[in-house]
Every structure is written in structure tokens, then in C-alpha cells.
Amino acid sequence: AQAPEPPTAAASGAVGTAVSPAMAEALRASFVRARQTLPAFLSALRGGSPDFTGFMARLDTERADEGSALWLVEVRPLPDGGLEGKVGPVTPGLGHRPGEVMRVTPDRLIDWLFLDQRARRMRGNHSLCAILSQRPPEEAALRRAEARVDCPD
């Protein structure tokens, strides 16, 4: 079986559509979980294991809990402790364009993900879990299985 693919912009909440108050609350809670588990992401990123690939990081924006997203792809660690990556698909109006290289500090991250090739699982992507928590249970289970992402119950 193949490792999971990184999420598309739509699956990650990058569509920029208005969200319900319940979705906004679920997203805010997912950002807290992502920040609490950020050391796992940074350790995997800096560890250099070939089993860990597809590092992505979601940056804080003023509209993050409204479904806007600014994901960096091809994230790599910098010697000064910062991170560098390319802007992925973006919500219009955030002032960035796909492919733009950005350097950020880890405290700007509100979500993260990477692919664990050995386990064939996606790690992180807490905002996807928040989005799926607002979907019908059968659909959410199917999407979690397709993405091979572990979401808290």
C-alpha cells in the first residue's frame, strides 16, 4: 500500500469559504492541539529520517478560524531554529502567492503535518480533523481512512 498523499487545499480548509460557529470553534481547538504537539513535528523535521516526508506547516492568519489557510510545503529546518517552505495553494486575499518562499519561526504555526512512510500514516493535520468532526460520521470515517490520518475522538 502507498503512503497517504498530502491534503489538497480544499481538504485542508484553504477554500476560504465562510464557516459555521461550530466549525470555527473546532478549528480553534485544533490549533491548540497542533501547538501542544508541535515538538513532535519539529523533532521529526529536524531528525532527518527518510521515513518522514511531505512536511507542511500552516501559518497563523487573521482569518484562520474562518477557513482561510496559508500552508507552507516542502518545509525544511534552518540552522537558526526557523523554518523555510514554499507557499502552497492559498486563500485569495492573504497577500501571498503559491511558490513564494517564506521563512518563519515555529511560533507562527497553527497546524502541521508530515507523512510517516513506515507506518503509512499522516501525522498531524489537526485542522483536517476539525473539519471532519463537523461532517456526518460515515463521511468523516471514510475521509479519515482515505487520508490515513489519526484524529482524536
Side-chain angles (χ1 to χ4, degrees):
Q2 288 185 320
E5 292 293 318
T8 63
S12 298
V15 201
T17 58
V19 299
S20 69
M23 177 67 79
E25 182 56 37
L27 285 168
R28 282 190 289 273
S30 78
F31 303 154
V32 170
R33 277 192 304 280
R35 285 185 170 133
Q36 290 170 339
T37 57
L38 183 60
F41 173 78
L42 296 173
S43 177
L45 178 66
R46 294 179 178 139
S49 170
D51 292 331
F52 301 144
T53 63
F55 290 93
M56 297 174 63
R58 185 176 180 177
L59 302 183
D60 194 6
T61 67
E62 290 180 12
R63 297 170 37 208
D65 64 350
E66 297 171 9
S68 297
L70 181 57
W71 281 93
L72 297 182
V73 300
E74 300 176 29
V75 173
R76 65 182 192 90
L78 296 173
D80 66 2
L83 307 171
E84 181 179 88
K86 294 179 183 176
V87 174
V90 296
T91 303
L94 292 182
H96 296 280
R97 62 188 187 289
E100 175 184 345
V101 175
M102 291 183 68
R103 290 180 176 214
V104 298
T105 55
D107 64 332
R108 292 257 340 259
L109 305 186
I110 58 170
D111 202 357
W112 54 266
L113 73 88
F114 65 91
L115 305 177
D116 182 336
Q117 300 293 338
R118 182 176 296 202
R120 295 195 297 265
R121 304 293 298 174
M122 181 184 300
R123 304 294 180 202
N125 205 356
H126 302 279
S127 53
L128 175 61
C129 293
I131 292 165
L132 294 178
S133 75
Q134 302 300 303
R135 302 277 197 242
E138 300 81 23
E139 178 188 349
L142 175 65
R143 300 290 177 231
R144 279 192 304 275
E146 289 174 347
R148 297 181 183 214
V149 64
D150 297 317
C151 296
D153 293 333

